[in-house]
Amino acid sequence: MNKWLKRGLWLALVLLIGIVGLSHYMLESSLRPAPRGRDLEGSYEYMFDTYPRLEGWVDSLRRVGGLLDTTIVADDGARLHALYVRASRPTTATAVIIHGYTDNAIRMLMIGQMYHADLGYNILLPDLRNAGLSEGDYFQMGWLDRWDALRWMGVANEIFGGSTQMVVHGISMGASTTMMLSGERQADYVRCFVEDCGYTSVWEEFAYQLGLMYGLPSFPLMDVANLICRWRYGWALDEASALEQLRRARLPMLFIHGDQDHFVPTSMVYPLFEAKAEPKELWIVPEAAHAMSYRDHPDEYTARVGAFVSRYISR
């Protein structure tokens, strides 16, 4: 064999190994990052520092035994956990609240307080897999989580009386979970959805982060990562699309996105909003970074969400 051809083949092999290795690293570091969501004490400390009004509400619930835990066992045997709180007065109005990437149910308690203390709802907050007290050792980026979330919606309906009127509200990865599940068949108690800064698809979010963090193009790294994800985890990055699920969604949805979001870029919300059939609303939040719309504008956030859900849920 010609020595230049041999060198070329070796160079191609080394390049291929490098691409596969880098793609594998990118995928594993994304789906198995540092488990911040497992730190329950640290999560409470962060939330009480960030949302000063929250600690008094949580303490009051704890004093009366109102902040409760429940678990379910998924079809694959994983034990999953959620927090829930009954409304202070009997109501069928119920919110299922879904957390974001590397977060947990505790880190969504500010939205839980909004629905419970300000709007008078029952609330249930699941820990997604690999977060809080739920089992699992990697993140499913909302795609497989949609099945767990649909199961939790049924559990919430049972806990709160069996004839609820339900909103599902997610932030970041939880927002994409919400959009992804919205395209599935819904129980008759589900009334509407709120998504706050969700991504169009796992592929597009990973490709965006690949360029943002490393300055690398999506091809061929994303294509190889896609194959690895399919082989290792049983689902593909290019099928995990909130955008495509929204094309099948029919229930009302409120879209929220900060105009200074550089983690899930604000530009993603526009095709999502366009893909969703009426009824729908869009709020672009001024000067808000990723997942900070409620923190920066709590009164307006509460008013807008309250006005939206009240059109479809009566108390």
Side-chain angles (χ1 to χ4, degrees):
M1 182 182 293
N2 182 288
K3 69 175 183 178
W4 294 108
L5 178 59
K6 188 180 296 185
R7 288 177 180 178
L9 291 174
W10 274 109
L11 181 60
L13 179 61
V14 169
L15 183 60
L16 178 61
I17 292 171
I19 290 171
V20 171
L22 185 55
S23 298
H24 183 266
Y25 170 79
M26 179 195 75
L27 182 67
E28 291 298 296
S29 62
S30 298
L31 301 186
R32 300 174 186 267
R36 182 181 73 170
R38 296 294 194 192
D39 181 4
L40 307 188
E41 183 178 348
S43 293
Y44 275 115
E45 290 176 358
Y46 168 79
M47 293 300 291
F48 293 159
D49 286 344
T50 306
Y51 302 94
R53 199 168 66 102
L54 189 61
E55 187 170 8
W57 177 69
V58 170
D59 286 346
S60 68
L61 291 175
R62 286 171 170 167
R63 282 195 300 270
V64 299
L67 185 60
L68 301 171
D69 299 270
T70 188
T71 59
I72 59 173
V73 177
D75 291 342
D76 64 355
R79 185 171 294 275
L80 308 177
H81 168 267
L83 297 171
Y84 72 96
V85 184
R86 297 184 186 279
S88 56
R89 297 180 180 179
T91 182
T92 59
T94 298
V96 173
I97 302 164
I98 306 178
H99 69 78
Y101 183 66
T102 74
D103 284 341
N104 53 29
I106 295 166
R107 288 174 177 260
M108 285 292 281
L109 281 171
M110 75 291 193
I111 303 299
Q113 182 184 25
M114 179 190 74
Y115 276 103
H116 181 266
D118 299 331
L119 301 179
Y121 278 49
N122 305 301
I123 58 171
L124 183 140
L125 304 92
D127 284 324
L128 299 180
R129 297 191 187 216
N130 196 33
L133 296 176
S134 287
E135 294 181 347
D137 58 2
Y138 75 96
F139 291 109
Q140 302 179 137
M141 303 307 299
W143 185 237
L144 300 186
D145 294 309
R146 77 192 193 281
W147 302 120
D148 293 335
L150 285 164
R151 175 86 180 276
W152 278 120
M153 291 156 65
V155 170
N157 183 59
E158 293 172 7
I159 288 174
F160 299 126
S163 58
T164 61
Q165 305 170 82
M166 186 176 296
V167 58
V168 181
H169 187 135
I171 293 181
S172 189
M173 187 180 80
S176 289
T177 306
T178 299
M179 291 186 283
M180 289 170 179
L181 71 85
S182 74
E184 305 299 332
R185 184 174 181 180
Q186 301 299 315
D188 58 7
Y189 51 78
V190 184
R191 297 289 190 267
C192 58
F193 303 100
V194 179
E195 79 83 21
D196 181 344
C197 65
Y199 40 81
T200 50
S201 69
V202 177
W203 177 289
E204 290 186 359
E205 177 62 13
F206 279 15
Y208 169 77
Q209 292 295 331
L210 189 62
L212 182 69
M213 298 175 65
Y214 304 108
L216 294 173
S218 60
F219 179 82
L221 296 174
M222 285 294 303
D223 300 83
V224 175
N226 196 47
L227 293 173
I228 295 172
C229 191
R230 170 74 76 181
W231 167 72
R232 184 167 171 78
Y233 297 109
W235 58 280
L237 304 177
D238 61 358
E239 71 180 353
S241 174
L243 189 66
E244 290 304 313
Q245 290 290 95
L246 282 178
R247 299 189 198 283
R248 304 196 318 224
R250 293 296 176 262
L251 292 178
M253 184 172 293
L254 171 61
F255 295 78
I256 300 171
H257 218 111
D259 72 357
Q260 297 300 310
D261 193 337
H262 304 299
F263 187 78
V264 176
T266 309
S267 60
M268 284 192 177
V269 76
Y270 298 109
L272 290 167
F273 183 72
E274 181 66 24
K276 172 70 175 66
E278 295 284 355
K280 58 185 177 181
E281 290 185 21
L282 173 63
W283 178 33
I284 302 299
V285 186
E287 303 302 319
H290 183 67
M292 291 300 172
S293 294
Y294 178 80
R295 186 200 67 178
D296 295 347
H297 303 272
D299 293 337
E300 186 174 4
Y301 195 107
T302 302
R304 285 180 178 266
V305 170
F308 178 80
V309 297
S310 68
R311 296 191 193 106
Y312 311 105
I313 296 175
S314 59
R315 287 184 294 152

